[in-house]
Amino acid sequence: MLEIAAKLPPGALIGGEDRLLAQAVLQSGGARFVARESDLAWTNGKITGWHEARRAVEAVAAAPNSGNSRFETGPPGAVICQDGVNCGFTLPGFAAEVEAFTVAVIYRSQGEAKTLASIFTGQANNLIFLTENEGQILAKDKAGTVEVTLPAPPGPQAKLVILAFDGQSLRLRVGDREATATANVPGLAHQADFFIGCRSNRAGLAKTLGQSRLHEVMFWPDRSLLGSSDPEARDALAALTRYVRWTY
């Protein structure tokens, strides 16, 4: 038997990735939504909310989501989004105005997940949304002032997509690729809602709603992890990448 007379760093051992990610998300001020039956809120057999892993907050069903969401036990578990049907959730009023944020989504699709998440500041203002269409991952604002796109990895494997905004630059990471665009995005100085799986509380947006299996969604409401030199941000990204590699 080989023995090593030294202490190994936590990331050197397989099996603790979930715990390390949970710690990194907590330390960096994020919220983590995991598709587990115990984390979903149910009313009369319908999913009406999605609890954050520590039960710190709850994303409630979007207004047009009248019990449309489905749950797949897995493993891994998944919240099922159906094509053309609003199955989304919202975390309302997360910020007085949008200064920075990060969204990370672990999901499976056939290239047409459509809306994965959005940051919405009201009907008359603006929103930034993350979408997958025709095998491309796209992030842009509704006003058309900023846009970043990258190809989605082909195949049925789980995908990790990270979107971050620091007030000036919109950054998108898909696998090992990263794209950045800089612009003065208007309409963000308003109270904002975070949406999972849809763009807003408006009904009638069927063409923006695709088919996907959402395994996990992580949200940092006030900081951009991508492009940051902050040690907490780097640690969170490293823990997330390592977790997806060994878990999915």
Side-chain angles (χ1 to χ4, degrees):
M1 181 176 66
L2 179 63
E3 294 185 1
I4 301 175
K7 286 187 176 180
L8 296 175
L13 301 176
I14 299 173
E17 293 81 15
D18 183 85
R19 176 179 56 81
L20 292 173
L21 176 60
Q23 291 176 350
V25 171
L26 175 63
Q27 291 171 358
S28 56
R32 182 185 177 199
F33 299 88
V34 184
R36 297 181 292 218
E37 188 168 12
S38 59
D39 287 351
L40 299 175
W42 301 79
T43 303
N44 297 325
K46 296 180 178 181
I47 301 172
T48 55
W50 193 348
H51 293 284
E52 193 269 340
R54 302 185 312 275
R55 299 291 176 119
V57 293
E58 179 185 349
V60 298
N65 179 4
S66 55
N68 304 322
S69 304
R70 298 291 181 268
F71 175 68
E72 184 177 85
T73 57
V79 171
I80 307 300
C81 292
Q82 306 171 62
D83 187 36
V85 179
N86 191 305
C87 303
F89 300 86
T90 179
L91 191 62
F94 75 85
E97 58 184 64
V98 180
E99 296 178 322
F101 67 83
T102 303
V103 179
V105 185
I106 304 171
Y107 72 102
R108 282 182 169 86
S109 77
Q110 297 300 320
E112 290 290 329
K114 298 185 181 176
T115 304
L116 294 166
S118 78
I119 309 298
F120 181 77
T121 59
Q123 307 293 355
N125 302 306
N126 204 358
L127 68 124
I128 297 174
F129 60 89
L130 176 65
T131 183
E132 180 193 67
N133 286 287
E134 298 180 350
Q136 295 290 313
I137 308 294
L138 168 71
K140 64 180 296 185
D141 72 318
K142 184 180 179 182
T145 57
V146 66
E147 178 178 322
V148 285
T149 184
L150 287 170
Q157 75 273 16
K159 308 167 191 178
L160 168 62
V161 174
I162 305 173
L163 174 65
F165 179 67
D166 63 6
Q168 296 179 328
S169 296
L170 192 66
R171 291 180 169 86
L172 178 66
R173 180 183 291 182
V174 181
D176 296 329
R177 298 187 178 188
E178 191 168 319
T180 304
T182 300
N184 182 17
V185 183
L188 299 185
H190 302 271
Q191 187 177 51
D193 302 333
F194 174 55
F195 286 88
I196 299 171
C198 64
R199 296 191 188 180
S200 73
N201 272 320
R202 287 181 57 197
L205 298 174
K207 67 180 182 180
T208 70
L209 304 168
Q211 189 171 17
S212 64
R213 287 171 165 79
L214 302 177
H215 299 300
E216 301 194 31
V217 178
M218 278 149 275
F219 179 52
W220 289 260
D222 56 4
R223 69 191 303 174
S224 173
L225 299 187
L226 298 178
S228 174
S229 60
D230 185 84
E232 286 183 349
R234 293 200 305 265
D235 289 347
L237 287 172
L240 177 56
T241 301
R242 185 170 54 245
Y243 170 76
V244 172
R245 180 185 302 121
W246 291 109
T247 305
Y248 292 93

